[in-house]
Structures are given as C-alpha cells and as structure tokens.
C-alpha cells in the first residue's frame, strides 16, 4: 500500500552513485500494472505486469541513456538507477493500476 501523498519527492544524488525511487508498496496485487516514466515526454522506462509475471526495462529509449543502469524490484515496484549521471536528472513518474494516484519524483544529479 502506498504512502498517502500527491507531492513531488525531490532527491539529490552524487554522480556515479545509485538512487532508489521507493514506491512505498509492500506487496503488489495479483492484477497490478506498474509503469515508470521519465522526463517531460513521459517516456516509458520500466514496467511490471503482475498478471503476465513480466518485468520489462526499456534500456534503449532516449538514445540508450539508461542502458544497464535500471533495476526494478519485482516485489515492491521500486526503481533503482545505478551509476547515475547528470543526464538522468529530471522527473520520474510512477503509475500503478492498484492505486488511483501518480507518484512523482524529481531527481537532481550533481
């Protein structure tokens, strides 16, 4: 179950470190669909479809900027970006079918 917030969570991270965008979800429902989107274009970068038992990382979108850097926790839906660079700074949006809310994160890499 998600934390009850509509606010944008701001995170600052040092270049080369990892950051985890936590969903606050303790378990997913049987029919959950979780989508992670990035940037002003809302580009899909990761998806969990519990019904299909599938986890998909879209490493090659946006000129491959996320290649080999994304990890998705299939229990909580949390997204980890490893070896983060300044080009990963921006807005991340979590959409889930189990909760009728958007969860927004603003990541700044310095």
């Amino acid at each position: 179950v998600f934390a009850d917030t509509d606010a944008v969570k701001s995170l600052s991270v040092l270049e080369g470190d990892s950051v985890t965008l936590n969903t606050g979800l303790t378990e997913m429902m049987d029919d959950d669909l979780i989508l992670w989107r990035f940037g002003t274009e809302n580009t899909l970068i990761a998806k969990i479809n519990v019904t299909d038992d599938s986890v998909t990382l879209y490493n090659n979108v946006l000129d491959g900027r996320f290649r080999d850097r994304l990890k998705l926790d299939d229990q909580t839906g949390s997204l980890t970006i490893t070896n983060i660079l300044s080009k990963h700074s921006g807005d991340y949006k979590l959409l889930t079918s189990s909760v009728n809310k958007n969860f927004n994160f603003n990541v700044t890499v310095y």
Side-chain angles (χ1 to χ4, degrees):
V1 169
F2 286 90
D4 189 15
T5 181
D6 285 322
V8 174
K9 183 169 184 174
S10 295
L11 301 165
S12 295
V13 62
L14 187 62
E15 191 167 85
D17 283 354
S18 295
V19 65
T20 299
L21 307 180
N22 291 306
T23 62
L25 187 65
T26 55
E27 64 180 28
M28 290 189 274
M29 304 298 171
D30 291 339
D31 60 348
D32 238 347
L33 177 65
I34 290 185
L35 305 173
W36 280 100
R37 297 187 172 273
F38 172 74
T40 56
E41 310 85 16
N42 280 322
T43 302
L44 184 62
I45 58 172
K47 175 172 78 173
I48 296 176
N49 187 331
V50 175
T51 304
D52 295 346
D53 195 28
S54 67
V55 175
T56 307
L57 300 173
Y58 298 91
N59 290 304
N60 293 321
V61 296
L62 301 170
D63 298 323
R65 81 172 63 180
F66 291 105
R67 188 173 291 121
D68 300 325
R69 296 177 194 275
L70 298 177
K71 296 184 187 312
L72 199 53
D73 185 316
D74 62 357
Q75 299 298 310
T76 66
S78 295
L79 179 71
T80 299
I81 307 158
T82 61
N83 193 22
I84 199 165
L85 302 173
S86 60
K87 65 183 174 183
H88 300 120
S89 290
D91 295 322
Y92 292 80
K93 183 182 292 185
L94 167 67
L95 304 159
T96 178
S97 61
S98 65
V99 178
N100 192 17
K101 281 188 183 178
N102 293 341
F103 296 86
N104 300 297
F105 300 83
N106 179 269
V107 176
T108 303
V109 180
Y110 61 95

